[in-house]
Structure formats: structure tokens, C-alpha cells
């Protein structure tokens, strides 16, 4: 009988202990900060950070990854300086650069400039954009540097593509544009 009382007591304690359990919330938290982290709002005050601000400016003289500053300014004089600029890409990887430039050209440029660079893209044929010149036009005096300048800053109704492509990709597209120009002028 004594063992029956002990067994009943253990069984009763087990029932009481498990009846209060809530499966949606853990009963015991050994490190509560790991389960319930403190959230901070962007641009709000935080006592423990420098200047009590969550979003800080990047350190001085730093450059984003994949982006290099373009020393030529956005002006008519800068455009003339850009004409004299040559491509900094490795001349041993011309085929790779042209292949990658062709893919990027198809994505970003062909819709207006056409697959061959003749200024007859889909939007021009549908008369959504007018006045897209051919790369073969001798008046344009197109060079690899001026093509990069135009991609970087934009020109007339063409906007800048510096936010869509990194520096290397813009040079690859510029080299591909020169290949299209060469193909058109044969």
C-alpha cells in the first residue's frame, strides 16, 4: 500500500506539472535575450552607439565594392576628355569581355538601340522613343571612352546606368558597343 501511495503521488505531481504547460511559449528560458531580442528602429536614438544614432555615415574616403569613382566630371569638357580615354579592362580577355558585354547590352541597351546598334530597337520601332542614332553615324565620333561616359552619366533622353551596372560591366558594354560600331561600318 505504501508503494501505491508513492506511485499515486508521483503520478499526481506529473499531471499537475504538465497541465500548466503552454506549447506556444517555452516554459524555461535559460538565456531570454536569445529568444526575445531587442529591436531598434533605423535612424532612431540608441544610447550605446557613437553619436546616439543607429545609422551612421561610412568612414571618410571609402569606396563601395564593385564601384570605382569616375574622375571625369559631367560637363561638355568632361565629355571631350572621355573621348580620349581607353578601356582599362585586360586586353587578354577580349572575348570574355565582349561576351559579357553582349549579354548586358541585350538586357539594358538593345530595347532602344537595337541588337545591331542601328538605332532600331523595339521601342523605336513602336515609336515610343524617337531619335536614337545608329552607332555607325560618323557625326557622333563614338569612342570607347565616350560610350562609357554616356553609360555612366546618361545623355539626352537616355538615363544613367551607373546604378544598374558596376564599373567593369559598364566598360564591357562600352567595348561591345565599339564592336557593334565596327560591324556596322564594314
Amino acid at each position: 500500500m505504501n508503494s501505491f501511495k508513492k506511485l499515486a503521488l508521483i503520478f499526481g505531481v506529473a499531471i499537475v506539472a504538465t497541465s500548466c504547460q503552454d506549447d506556444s511559449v517555452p516554459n524555461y528560458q535559460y538565456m531570454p535575450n536569445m529568444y526575445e531580442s531587442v529591436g531598434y528602429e533605423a535612424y532612431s536614438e540608441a544610447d550605446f552607439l557613437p553619436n546616439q544614432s543607429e545609422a551612421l555615415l561610412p568612414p571618410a574616403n571609402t569606396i563601395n565594392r564593385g564601384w570605382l569613382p569616375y574622375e571625369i566630371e559631367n560637363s561638355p569638357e568632361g565629355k571631350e576628355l572621355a573621348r580620349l580615354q581607353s578601356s582599362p579592362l585586360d586586353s587578354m580577355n577580349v572575348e570574355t569581355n565582349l561576351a559579357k558585354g553582349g549579354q548586358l547590352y541585350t538586357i539594358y541597351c538593345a530595347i532602344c538601340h537595337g541588337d545591331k546598334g542601328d538605332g532600331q530597337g523595339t521601342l523605336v520601332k513602336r515609336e515610343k522613343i524617337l531619335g536614337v542614332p545608329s552607332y555607325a553615324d560618323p557625326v557622333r565620333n563614338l569612342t570607347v571612352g565616350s560610350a562609357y561616359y554616356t553609360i555612366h552619366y546618361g545623355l539626352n533622353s537616355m538615363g544613367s546606368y551607373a546604378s544598374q551596372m558596376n564599373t567593369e560591366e559598364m566598360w564591357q558594354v562600352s567595348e561591345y558597343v565599339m564592336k557593334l560600331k565596327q560591324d556596322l561600318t564594314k
Side-chain angles (χ1 to χ4, degrees):
M1 182 78 177
N2 203 6
S3 65
F4 179 71
K5 287 182 182 178
K6 288 181 184 177
L7 192 58
L9 181 63
I10 292 173
F11 187 67
V13 170
I15 288 176
V16 170
T18 58
S19 65
C20 299
Q21 181 178 356
D22 184 7
D23 290 336
S24 64
V25 179
N27 288 334
Y28 298 104
Q29 295 180 358
Y30 296 106
M31 295 182 178
N33 289 340
M34 296 291 287
Y35 293 107
E36 300 164 10
S37 62
V38 179
Y40 295 101
E41 288 291 325
Y43 304 109
S44 67
E45 292 184 12
D47 308 2
F48 59 91
L49 293 172
N51 300 331
Q52 286 72 40
S53 178
E54 173 120 353
L56 301 175
L57 295 174
N61 301 319
T62 58
I63 300 172
N64 295 340
R65 279 190 189 158
W67 187 82
L68 294 173
Y70 191 47
E71 291 84 18
I72 298 176
E73 64 181 21
N74 188 9
S75 67
E77 296 82 18
K79 187 175 180 183
E80 291 305 316
L81 280 174
R83 286 191 196 287
L84 305 174
Q85 193 176 20
S86 62
S87 175
L89 298 179
D90 187 9
S91 61
M92 299 301 286
N93 296 331
V94 173
E95 294 302 320
T96 307
N97 290 334
L98 288 177
K100 181 72 174 168
Q103 292 173 349
L104 293 167
Y105 180 88
T106 302
I107 293 169
Y108 295 111
C109 311
I111 191 76
C112 297
H113 292 279
D115 290 328
K116 299 176 184 173
D118 56 358
Q120 295 299 311
T122 305
L123 293 179
V124 174
K125 288 178 183 175
R126 293 181 183 172
E127 297 181 357
K128 302 293 182 187
I129 297 176
L130 301 175
V132 177
S134 171
Y135 294 141
D137 188 6
V139 176
R140 294 187 67 201
N141 190 18
L142 187 64
T143 65
V144 71
S146 64
Y148 180 85
Y149 177 89
T150 304
I151 293 169
H152 191 273
Y153 287 121
L155 182 66
N156 298 333
S157 62
M158 178 183 148
S160 170
Y161 283 85
S163 63
Q164 284 91 355
M165 294 185 273
N166 63 29
T167 304
E168 181 181 11
E169 291 172 339
M170 287 190 285
W171 279 112
Q172 288 169 339
V173 171
S174 300
E175 286 187 358
Y176 186 76
V177 166
M178 296 312 298
K179 179 186 176 297
L180 290 177
K181 177 185 177 186
Q182 194 177 42
D183 293 344
L184 286 171
T185 56
K186 284 184 182 177

